[in-house]
Amino acid sequence: MLISLIVPCYNEEQSLPFLYEALCNLRNEQEPLGKSFEFIFVNDGSTDRTKEVIKDMAFLDKDVRYIFFSRNFGKEAAMYAGLEASKGDYVAILDADMQDPPSLIPGMIESLDKDECDIVAARRVTRKGEPKIRSFFARMFYKLINRMVEVEIADGARDFRLMRRIVVDAILQLSERQRFSKGIFAWVGFRTKWVEHVNVERVAGETKWSFWKLFKYAIDGIVAFTTAPLRLATIAGFSSAFAAFIYMVYYFIRAVILKIYNEVPGYPSLLCFILFIGGLILMALGVLGEYIGRTYIETKGRPIYIKSEDENTGKTISQDT
Ligand code: UDP
Ligand code: MG
């Protein structure tokens, strides 16, 4: 039985040796149990020596496969490329920085072998070592998205998971460009078992996620999986129109029936209304824009990534030289 392990790498030259060692240990442990492995490293346009490190590994180890992107396409694209290239009966995605502990994999394999589930997914129960403010916003995000989305997106869920072939094929069918894997994993369904672990700090290098990148990712996630914000704009529009109507009736009664006139006629209320309605219109336009923008990008049907080289083309190059 073949197990594919996919590792998206972006500037990970320092972490890769640690990870590779851990993966080799895993392989040595599992081979007597009848498992064989392929390690698929996806180099997401790194600017350091990641590419060379991967090539060295592939040169010495027949189980190492690789895909190189022509530029940085993001982790989502790297995961998709890896899944597409994978041939294993079980497939796992794990980070290069050891934050997804490879020590969990034997347990995951066992769960699938015993047919307890189709997916074993890892979940962080602590966010120790992460900036407080980032944890706070992350928690807020999961609360918000789970209120709007019909599938459950677990807080602390990582992209680290071992899946059966059938699940991978399902995921590959969702070929949208702005990918939000946490949602896609939940959306395809299947029986999922969660294994919990505490947060591990990365072995080397730095996180590639700035706060701004995470914020954009959060917006992508919400817009990709729900049209609830559109409804929100509609509801806000309706309620403001209703409030304005009540206000109008109130002034009508005051002026026409009770004959009370204001000293400063109409000015403050007018100003408030214009600002209020103007704001609402802008908000609704912004929300619409988000969706139209996405439709525009999807209709272009661009590929999710572009390869500059993989193990097949890479081999021909090394034969030539
Ligand atoms: N990564 C990637 N492309 C990117 C950013 C990150 O392939 O544009 C990879 C990175 O090399 C790592 C994984 O995605 O293997 C997770 O990234 P990181 O550790 O920086 O994120 P964090 O664990 O801090 O959320
Ligand atoms: Mg990490």
Side-chain angles (χ1 to χ4, degrees):
M1 171 178 284
L2 181 67
I3 299 173
S4 309
L5 301 180
I6 299 165
V7 186
C9 314
Y10 178 54
N11 293 348
E12 299 283 6
E13 61 170 351
Q14 290 166 325
S15 336
L16 279 178
F18 294 100
L19 180 77
Y20 181 60
E21 198 195 319
L23 294 185
C24 287
N25 291 339
L26 173 76
R27 180 172 54 184
N28 292 341
E29 237 172 68
Q30 292 284 324
E31 256 168 0
L33 305 173
K35 311 281 190 232
S36 52
F37 286 83
E38 59 173 4
F39 306 141
I40 305 175
F41 292 91
V42 186
N43 174 28
D44 184 13
S46 303
T47 50
D48 64 357
R49 292 191 63 259
T50 302
K51 205 168 152 176
E52 285 74 21
V53 175
I54 295 174
K55 277 202 154 177
D56 288 347
M57 292 190 295
F59 185 70
L60 297 171
D61 186 338
K62 61 167 179 32
D63 292 338
V64 172
R65 301 176 54 199
Y66 58 82
I67 299 166
F68 292 164
F69 285 180
S70 55
R71 65 167 171 86
N72 180 244
F73 280 90
K75 187 185 176 189
E76 290 289 339
M79 292 194 291
Y80 190 85
L83 290 176
E84 222 173 28
S86 69
K87 298 183 188 132
D89 305 293
Y90 297 165
V91 180
I93 300 169
L94 67 165
D95 283 6
D97 57 8
M98 305 272 281
Q99 277 190 305
D100 296 333
S103 56
L104 290 179
I105 295 176
M108 291 173 149
I109 296 175
E110 214 179 301
S111 294
L112 287 195
D113 277 345
K114 283 198 207 139
D115 199 26
E116 285 170 4
C117 51
D118 302 308
I119 305 167
V120 195
R123 178 177 183 171
R124 279 190 300 187
V125 281
T126 59
R127 286 180 173 271
K128 200 169 90 16
E130 195 182 64
K132 283 242 155 49
I133 182 96
R134 188 168 149 179
S135 308
F136 172 75
F137 277 107
R139 236 173 267 131
M140 293 271 293
F141 166 72
Y142 283 108
K143 274 220 179 92
L144 186 72
I145 195 163
N146 277 316
R147 275 183 162 231
M148 299 192 293
V149 178
E150 73 232 64
V151 291
E152 164 91 15
I153 298 175
D155 186 359
R158 303 186 54 86
D159 298 322
F160 181 31
R161 50 186 61 224
L162 186 71
M163 301 169 276
R164 281 183 204 285
R165 185 80 246 162
I166 183 173
V167 182
V168 175
D169 291 339
I171 291 169
L172 289 174
Q173 278 179 36
L174 277 77
S175 60
E176 62 220 56
R177 262 113 279 275
Q178 275 131 358
R179 304 182 68 75
F180 181 69
S181 282
K182 286 181 180 27
I184 291 175
F185 293 149
W187 193 89
V188 295
F190 295 102
R191 296 171 297 159
T192 305
K193 182 181 158 190
W194 293 96
V195 289
E196 297 185 342
H197 67 94
V198 294
N199 193 29
V200 192
E201 301 204 20
R202 54 161 49 241
V203 280
E206 280 171 9
T207 175
K208 285 20 170 237
W209 292 91
S210 63
F211 191 78
W212 180 236
K213 248 182 146 177
L214 276 175
F215 182 73
K216 283 203 295 198
Y217 190 58
I219 300 274
D220 272 350
I222 292 173
V223 180
F225 276 87
T226 168
T227 45
L230 275 179
R231 207 167 314 135
L232 207 74
T234 319
I235 291 169
F238 263 118
S239 25
S240 76
F242 185 69
F245 179 71
I246 301 280
Y247 199 53
M248 212 174 72
V249 171
Y250 166 73
Y251 264 92
F252 184 80
I253 293 173
R254 242 168 84 111
V256 177
I257 300 172
L258 305 176
K259 308 247 182 278
I260 307 169
Y261 299 108
N262 258 354
E263 300 81 24
V264 189
Y267 172 71
S269 57
L270 255 183
L271 194 70
C272 286
F273 270 135
I274 291 171
L275 285 178
F276 188 53
I277 302 287
L280 278 181
I281 291 173
L282 281 180
M283 193 181 97
L285 273 179
V287 172
L288 270 178
E290 283 282 342
Y291 287 93
I292 292 173
R294 255 146 251 262
T295 314
Y296 168 65
I297 288 169
E298 292 298 334
T299 49
K300 284 201 276 198
R302 285 188 176 165
I304 297 167
Y305 61 89
I306 291 173
K307 277 191 216 173
S308 71
E309 194 179 304
D310 63 16
E311 65 268 355
N312 302 319
T313 56
K315 270 183 196 127
T316 35
I317 288 173
S318 60
Q319 272 160 14
D320 292 342
T321 49

